[in-house]
Amino acid sequence: MYYNGVYKTLLVLLILVHFTHEYTGGGDIELKVGVLFFRDEYDIELSFDEAFHQINTNKLFGLTFKTIKRYVPSDDSFILQQLTCELLSDGVAAIFGPSSKATSDIVAIIANATGIPHMEFDWSIASPAQNILNNRMTVNVAPSVAMISKAYYNIIKNHYGWDEFTIVYETKAGLTRLQDLMNINNLNFDLIKLRYIEDYKNDLRVLWKETSETLHEHKIILDCDANSLQTLFETAKEFKLFTLFKYWFLTDLNTHNSALRRMYNPDYRANITSVRLKLVEDNPFSRKKTRIRPIDKIFSNQVMLPILMYDAVVLYANAARNVITTLRQFTEPQMRCEFDYPSRPWYIGREIVEEMKTISEDDVDPPFKTENFKIDENGQRKQFNLEIYKPTTNDIMVVWKPDGSLSPPTSLQAALGGATSTAPDFSLARKTFIVATRFEEPYFMLKEDHETLRGMEKYEGYAVDLMQKLADLMEFNYEFLVERTTGKMNPDTGEWDGMIRRLIDHQAHIAISDITITQARRRVVDFTVPFMQLGISILYYRRKPAAKNPYAFLEPFAEEVWYNLMLTQLIMTLLFVVLARFSHHEWTNPNPTESDPDELENIWNNSNSFWLMIGSIMQQGCDILPKGPPMRILSSMWWFFTLMMVNAYVANLAASLTNNKLTSEFDSLSSLIDQSKVKYGTLSGGSTSVYFSESNETDYKRAWNQMISFTPSAFTSSNKEGVDRVRKEEGKYAFLMETTSMSYNIERSCDLKQVGSQFGEKHYALAVPLGAEYRSNLSVSLLKLSERGELFNLKRRWWKPRDEINCTRPTDNDGDELSIIELGGVFLVLGGGVLVSFIIGICEFLWNVQTVAAEEKTTRWQAFKAELCFVLKFWITKKPAKISESTKSSISSKSSSKRSTDRSRSHSRSHSYVSGRSRRTTKSKTSHHERVRERNRERERSVHSRSVHSRRYYD
């Protein structure tokens, strides 16, 4: 029983061994694989040997591989065909290579015809759809050109946000990897420039000079071999293409192995980035090798072709094992290149190729070197990850994935990428901005003592303070680049000048001044958020007010009119006197109490006639009037004359005072357009002129058409020239300018003013080159300054004059009121009349004192004192006839005089006083008549009663 069981067990084992031997072909199957190398591909050969060495030393793999190598001396399709046929005659089950140095696809065609898998590990241009059937046996583990092109497009467009750049390429094959980049900007193909290095092989400096000075490029995509990088960079450095705000993107996947890290120094401050295939992270817990072999250095340096060769070997070996170990019987390929040799393609080869298209990175042993490994149905690799890194410091920035997403590197990836290295990154140094500006008050000016200062210290102004505050917030340095103008576009060439040109050429990073945001400028530069709001208004000359004329009341009539008026008055006075003596109606009884007077009196003497003339002119009339018809007719004609003259005087006086008011020829833009005396203009090529030239509003169009028609030109080269022209032409020129500059000049000049209200809302902002990434930071900083009120404080500081300026600025329309100066002449006439009347009155008073002293037989001094004392006693309204004698008697009898009297005596004294005055008046006229003298003697008899009256009056 025991032996029977043992026998049965041995029999089963023998059967299993038999079937296993029959199934596997008898132990490990040995496959021959061929490879084609060029003479200088030592690193790729080491990787090829290393991959098969690891597979063959794996006892559990199930297959062993024998490699057959052929070396290609040159890129010759005939030689490639011969070497490929030699490999086929040796019975190889796969052919690796050659690299992309071979321009012919003869190997792929032969492999496709014989059914032998063909493994590629380098770039290859994707075959057209009709040629895919001729390459069905070819599998390429390198990323397809189409996928690499899409990856670059995604990185440049979505990650970097570039839409304008220059592509510099070394080979036409390399240009195919960038074909999608040329479709980034479909609207304007001029924004993407192409430069072929081969066209500049005689002198590379021409290439970089054209890029820097002609194209003014600051974003460059360079596709070249890593070995060519040093020569290209050393030449480009001469043209300042590695300064701050210059950006380079290097497309070669081996850039990290170039000489760039060795030549990197502080002169390379540009932002330089590149891409490479992302490798599988090593196991951190694996045992470190004590001896570093050459192949280990190759793998650690991430050299692309050796790594891809390794992955190609791993892919094929695992696919061959999966297919062959499932076969009942393995048949080695026996292929030949002779076309007359009847053979069928190796069917196992096709199964191996199909298996490679299904294998993932989790199904292979040993593992792939590169991440995200997958072959599509056409034998092309469309799944891979890319690291975006800085080749100057080997710092990994982000990882790109085929879905277009970007993810930060893991800590292990960063460590492997060199982020922990101590190499300085000069692109991260504190940036120095070149700030373009121009001399314009109060934005940018030289200090009074600038000749003793150096550098930035000699400048001052609103722009200087604003840039300093921005620099403090954003932590950057800056230098000023002074230009003559803001910048305008030449309509013939379309080219800009001034500060805008500097920004377009990237010779400046920021422009600050009174730069208005316009649509034309937005096409060539970008703007931050506004830091100041403004409008447009009219700057005009403020005429100095005419000197006030104190004799303005004389202006309504000319001098000859006044002279004739006075002469006429004198003549009329004489005519009145003469005609009155002719008219018997004007001779009247001087004493109405006598019915039969002895004499008649004519009141129209020179004095009364002159009084009537004056009263008529003054429209006041007179207390005496003519009685006879001739005199009344003459008076009526005189009144008519005075009525016309007075009315004409009043009308002309009102008109004269109205014309003397300070009135402007216009008060708004529309009235400025309608008048023809004052010319007007604006800054040539500035935003204000653009506003008028491009506006569709009727008044603005009319204003523009008038401005361009003025001769000489109404446009100026600067605001200062416009302000000076307004002053110089003194009311014959008006300047249309922005209200901020206008208010600054008006605050500092008494002979300037703003006419009309503000129109055309505008904004000032900082200008930066198109696509400048620091624009958003500048905008945020400006918003912070605005919220803190610092922008308002800056404007108040620089717009208000440091020294107080006192200007007498009368309003243009100040009503109809008259000043004291204009009416001063009237007051002078009044004062003169008062003075003359008082002089005459005093003279008359002194003459009366002389007469009283003579008549009353007293001294002049006593008469003067008596009269003066009476004058100063304002409460006494009645005056005695002889005040000198009554004064003496009142003094001598002052102690014993009585203070009372009866009403009848008082009445008698009053009557005697009146009679005495009548006597003195009539005496001078009728002294030659005896009868009058008799009457006077009778009146003198009442002296005693008047004396008594005087004593009581002065008591």
Side-chain angles (χ1 to χ4, degrees):
M1 292 292 294
Y2 174 76
Y3 291 104
N4 290 334
V6 173
Y7 175 75
K8 292 180 179 179
T9 302
L10 291 175
L11 181 61
V12 172
L13 290 174
L14 289 174
I15 294 173
L16 290 174
V17 170
H18 171 75
F19 282 106
T20 302
H21 177 77
E22 182 180 359
Y23 180 74
T24 61
D28 285 347
I29 300 176
E30 183 181 76
L31 282 181
K32 298 177 182 178
V33 293
V35 61
L36 297 171
F37 291 120
F38 284 95
R39 292 292 183 183
D40 55 352
E41 295 178 338
Y42 174 73
D43 293 346
I44 302 174
E45 185 177 356
L46 284 180
S47 176
F48 179 81
D49 294 339
E50 174 66 17
F52 277 115
H53 172 73
Q54 292 185 16
I55 293 172
N56 289 335
T57 56
N58 186 352
K59 300 300 183 181
L60 300 178
F61 197 83
L63 294 178
T64 57
F65 296 91
K66 180 181 178 182
T67 60
I68 302 175
K69 301 177 182 179
R70 294 290 185 270
Y71 297 94
V72 183
S74 62
D75 179 22
D76 189 321
S77 59
F78 179 74
I79 295 176
L80 279 175
Q81 179 180 348
Q82 284 187 328
L83 295 177
T84 302
C85 293
E86 289 181 8
L87 293 175
L88 290 178
S89 62
D90 291 336
V92 296
I95 299 176
F96 288 80
S99 64
S100 60
K101 293 180 181 180
T103 58
S104 173
D105 61 345
I106 186 64
V107 179
I109 294 174
I110 295 174
N112 185 65
T114 57
I116 301 298
H118 176 219
M119 303 301 299
E120 290 185 340
F121 54 91
D122 199 357
W123 300 108
S124 64
I125 300 177
S127 302
Q130 63 269 24
N131 294 333
I132 292 179
L133 295 177
N134 295 330
N135 298 297
R136 287 179 298 177
M137 296 303 296
T138 300
V139 175
N140 195 341
V141 298
S144 68
V145 172
M147 283 302 298
I148 281 290
S149 181
K150 292 179 180 178
Y152 290 162
Y153 176 91
N154 186 269
I155 293 171
I156 297 298
K157 179 69 174 180
N158 300 329
H159 181 52
Y160 289 169
W162 295 3
D163 55 7
E164 179 181 2
F165 47 82
T166 295
I167 296 177
V168 180
Y169 61 98
E170 188 176 31
T171 63
K172 294 183 179 180
L175 183 60
T176 60
R177 296 192 290 268
L178 309 175
Q179 57 186 351
D180 285 345
L181 292 178
M182 290 180 284
N183 298 323
I184 276 184
N185 199 319
N186 295 322
L187 299 178
N188 191 346
F189 292 100
D190 294 335
L191 299 179
I192 300 176
K193 287 78 69 177
L194 295 176
R195 292 296 180 270
Y196 186 27
I197 296 177
E198 185 67 18
D199 295 337
Y200 303 88
K201 61 181 180 179
N202 294 330
D203 191 352
L204 291 176
R205 293 179 301 173
V206 177
L207 166 65
W208 299 125
K209 182 176 182 180
E210 181 180 326
T211 304
S212 175
E213 300 178 6
T214 304
L215 302 180
H216 309 292
E217 192 58 73
H218 69 293
K219 295 175 181 176
I220 302 173
I221 298 176
L222 178 61
D223 185 275
C224 69
D225 187 81
N227 297 326
S228 306
L229 202 58
Q230 182 174 2
T231 302
L232 292 171
F233 269 32
E234 288 292 346
T235 310
K237 190 170 65 173
E238 300 178 14
F239 299 94
K240 298 181 181 180
L241 288 172
F242 293 99
T243 57
L244 283 173
F245 309 107
K246 299 292 185 181
Y247 300 88
W248 291 73
F249 181 72
L250 312 180
T251 62
D252 189 82
L253 297 182
N254 277 325
T255 300
H256 53 281
N257 290 314
S258 66
L260 182 57
R261 294 183 65 182
R262 296 191 300 271
M263 59 187 288
Y264 186 55
N265 58 59
D267 294 334
Y268 293 87
R269 304 186 68 186
N271 191 320
I272 305 173
T273 55
S274 185
V275 292
R276 63 189 174 200
L277 286 174
K278 186 176 183 316
L279 303 186
V280 176
E281 298 178 16
D282 293 335
N283 184 359
F285 302 103
S286 61
R287 185 171 61 89
K288 301 298 181 181
K289 296 181 178 180
T290 58
R291 185 175 64 89
I292 303 299
R293 300 171 299 165
I295 188 59
D296 296 327
K297 292 182 179 180
I298 293 173
F299 289 156
S300 63
N301 291 333
Q302 298 178 262
V303 183
M304 185 186 72
L305 292 184
I307 290 176
L308 291 178
M309 173 59 89
Y310 182 93
D311 285 351
V313 172
V314 171
L315 175 65
Y316 172 77
N318 281 269
R321 181 192 61 182
N322 295 343
V323 171
I324 294 175
T325 55
T326 59
L327 297 175
R328 287 182 174 270
Q329 184 176 1
F330 171 69
T331 303
E332 293 183 354
Q334 297 179 356
M335 299 292 111
R336 294 184 182 180
C337 288
E338 289 82 359
F339 293 102
D340 57 351
Y341 180 79
S343 63
R344 298 179 61 187
W346 188 43
Y347 71 95
I348 299 178
R350 295 190 180 277
E351 293 184 9
I352 294 175
V353 170
E354 294 300 322
E355 179 66 18
M356 284 190 285
K357 298 176 182 179
T358 62
I359 287 179
S360 66
E361 54 191 347
D362 298 329
D363 301 332
V364 297
D365 183 34
F368 294 126
K369 292 289 184 184
T370 58
E371 274 189 357
N372 199 3
F373 195 104
K374 188 67 177 176
I375 304 297
D376 67 2
E377 64 278 4
N378 295 320
Q380 300 292 321
R381 181 176 179 177
K382 292 189 176 181
Q383 295 291 324
F384 53 90
N385 294 344
L386 294 176
E387 288 178 342
I388 303 176
Y389 70 104
K390 291 186 176 182
T392 53
T393 59
N394 206 29
D395 293 337
I396 301 174
M397 300 169 62
V398 291
V399 176
W400 178 89
K401 296 182 179 179
D403 59 359
S405 62
L406 299 172
S407 60
T410 63
S411 58
L412 181 59
Q413 292 171 356
L416 293 174
T420 58
S421 65
T422 58
D425 189 353
F426 300 112
S427 64
L428 298 178
R430 186 180 176 99
K431 291 181 172 59
T432 299
F433 287 89
I434 304 299
V435 181
T437 186
R438 66 187 180 94
F439 287 113
E440 179 69 24
E441 298 180 356
Y443 302 98
F444 190 76
M445 304 172 288
L446 288 172
K447 293 181 180 178
E448 295 181 357
D449 56 344
H450 66 275
E451 295 180 353
T452 61
L453 302 175
R454 293 184 178 181
M456 304 288 291
E457 296 179 355
K458 61 183 179 181
Y459 302 123
E460 66 176 356
Y462 181 92
V464 177
D465 290 352
L466 180 56
M467 283 308 305
Q468 185 58 49
K469 291 184 179 296
L470 292 173
D472 294 340
L473 283 176
M474 298 175 58
E475 297 182 352
F476 64 81
N477 300 325
Y478 61 94
E479 297 176 358
F480 283 116
L481 176 63
V482 182
E483 277 290 320
R484 293 184 58 188
T485 62
T486 300
K488 61 181 179 180
M489 183 179 66
N490 187 318
D492 298 328
T493 63
E495 295 293 330
W496 290 78
D497 58 9
M499 292 187 286
I500 302 298
R501 179 79 262 172
R502 294 286 189 175
L503 293 177
I504 295 174
D505 296 345
H506 296 276
Q507 297 174 355
H509 309 117
I510 302 174
I512 181 171
S513 186
D514 52 343
I515 305 177
T516 308
I517 302 175
T518 64
Q519 186 60 34
R521 291 172 179 169
R522 286 176 63 92
R523 295 191 185 101
V524 293
V525 297
D526 281 338
F527 288 95
T528 64
V529 296
F531 62 82
M532 193 177 296
Q533 182 176 347
L534 61 144
I536 305 172
S537 192
I538 306 170
L539 181 70
Y540 193 53
Y541 182 74
R542 185 187 298 277
R543 292 191 181 93
K544 295 180 180 179
K548 300 289 185 179
N549 183 11
Y551 301 101
F553 69 96
L554 297 176
E555 292 181 356
F557 288 162
E559 291 184 5
E560 59 271 17
V561 176
W562 286 112
Y563 296 149
N564 290 326
L565 182 60
M566 289 186 289
L567 180 61
T568 302
Q569 182 176 352
L570 294 176
I571 294 174
M572 289 299 297
T573 300
L574 295 176
L575 291 176
F576 256 72
V577 173
V578 172
L579 187 59
R581 296 186 70 85
F582 278 107
S583 177
H584 68 279
H585 293 287
E586 306 305 324
W587 294 95
T588 60
N589 182 8
N591 189 3
T593 58
E594 297 182 4
S595 59
D596 186 17
D598 295 333
E599 58 186 9
L600 298 176
E601 182 182 23
N602 194 324
I603 63 174
W604 294 109
N605 51 29
N606 292 334
S607 175
N608 288 342
S609 298
F610 187 77
W611 180 247
L612 177 63
M613 298 297 105
I614 291 297
S616 301
I617 291 177
M618 298 301 176
Q619 302 290 296
Q620 299 299 316
C622 184
D623 55 345
I624 55 176
L625 294 173
K627 297 178 181 180
M631 290 292 291
R632 290 186 176 182
I633 293 174
L634 185 61
S635 299
S636 299
M637 292 302 99
W638 175 248
W639 288 344
F640 173 78
F641 173 77
T642 57
L643 177 65
M644 293 296 102
M645 294 300 293
V646 169
N647 288 338
Y649 173 81
V650 173
N652 287 345
L653 178 63
S656 176
L657 296 177
T658 301
N659 291 334
N660 288 336
K661 299 297 177 184
L662 289 176
T663 56
S664 178
E665 289 80 359
F666 56 92
D667 57 3
S668 64
L669 179 63
S670 58
S671 60
L672 176 63
I673 299 171
D674 293 335
Q675 58 83 43
S676 58
K677 294 182 179 179
V678 180
K679 294 184 179 181
Y680 55 95
T682 184
L683 177 65
S684 176
S687 60
T688 303
S689 63
V690 173
Y691 178 83
F692 281 95
S693 63
E694 296 183 353
S695 176
N696 294 323
E697 207 276 331
T698 304
D699 283 347
Y700 300 156
K701 275 294 183 184
R702 289 178 56 201
W704 176 253
N705 292 332
Q706 289 185 11
M707 282 189 282
I708 61 179
S709 66
F710 288 142
T711 303
S713 176
F715 298 102
T716 64
S717 59
S718 65
N719 282 335
K720 185 178 185 302
E721 180 184 342
V723 174
D724 292 341
R725 186 170 176 181
V726 170
R727 287 198 185 99
K728 182 179 180 180
E729 300 194 16
E730 297 183 349
K732 297 181 181 179
Y733 179 79
F735 191 54
L736 300 171
M737 66 185 305
E738 293 162 344
T739 53
T740 50
S741 299
M742 179 183 299
S743 61
Y744 176 82
N745 285 279
I746 291 176
E747 287 286 345
R748 286 157 177 78
S749 180
C750 298
D751 56 355
L752 297 175
K753 65 178 179 178
Q754 176 180 342
V755 178
S757 59
Q758 171 181 311
F759 59 92
E761 181 178 343
K762 304 163 73 175
H763 298 88
Y764 287 160
L766 304 182
V768 297
L770 283 174
E773 76 284 351
Y774 49 86
R775 178 175 69 96
S776 59
N777 293 336
L778 288 172
S779 296
V780 171
S781 299
L782 286 173
L783 291 175
K784 289 181 180 179
L785 294 177
S786 178
E787 292 171 355
R788 297 175 185 175
E790 296 188 30
L791 292 182
F792 174 78
N793 293 333
L794 276 180
K795 184 174 181 182
R796 182 174 58 181
R797 174 190 177 189
W798 288 105
W799 261 253
K800 290 295 180 182
R802 298 178 182 178
D803 300 328
E804 195 66 27
I805 299 177
N806 296 321
C807 297
T808 301
R809 293 176 175 173
T811 57
D812 291 341
N813 299 313
D814 55 355
D816 296 330
E817 64 272 10
L818 299 176
S819 66
I820 187 63
I821 299 178
E822 292 173 304
L823 296 177
V826 179
F827 284 92
L828 289 176
V829 171
L830 175 61
V834 171
L835 180 61
V836 171
S837 63
F838 267 84
I839 292 174
I840 295 176
I842 292 173
C843 293
E844 190 179 66
F845 172 77
L846 296 176
W847 180 263
N848 183 61
V849 168
Q850 175 71 20
T851 303
V852 169
E855 290 181 354
E856 300 184 6
K857 304 295 191 290
T858 183
T859 63
R860 297 175 182 174
W861 176 247
Q862 288 179 341
F864 176 78
K865 288 195 298 181
E867 291 289 340
L868 184 61
C869 289
F870 177 78
V871 170
L872 296 178
K873 292 181 179 182
F874 296 100
W875 58 89
I876 299 177
T877 59
K878 294 182 179 181
K879 182 178 180 182
K882 290 186 177 182
I883 61 173
S884 59
E885 293 182 358
S886 63
T887 302
K888 291 191 286 184
S889 62
S890 64
I891 295 174
S892 62
S893 60
K894 184 177 182 180
S895 58
S896 60
S897 63
K898 294 182 180 180
R899 298 181 181 274
S900 62
T901 185
D902 51 63
R903 294 183 179 178
S904 60
R905 184 175 292 180
S906 176
H907 176 73
S908 175
R909 285 195 297 271
S910 298
H911 177 72
S912 300
Y913 172 73
V914 174
S915 300
R917 289 180 60 89
S918 299
R919 178 186 60 80
R920 287 196 300 269
T921 303
T922 309
K923 180 179 180 181
S924 61
K925 299 180 181 178
T926 60
S927 59
H928 59 283
H929 298 287
E930 186 63 27
R931 187 176 178 180
V932 174
R933 286 196 296 270
E934 183 65 25
R935 188 181 298 123
N936 289 340
R937 286 194 294 269
E938 291 178 355
R939 291 173 179 172
E940 288 177 357
R941 297 170 183 168
S942 61
V943 172
H944 179 70
S945 62
R946 288 199 298 271
S947 300
V948 175
H949 173 72
S950 298
R951 285 196 298 270
R952 291 188 62 194
Y953 183 82
Y954 282 95
D955 288 342

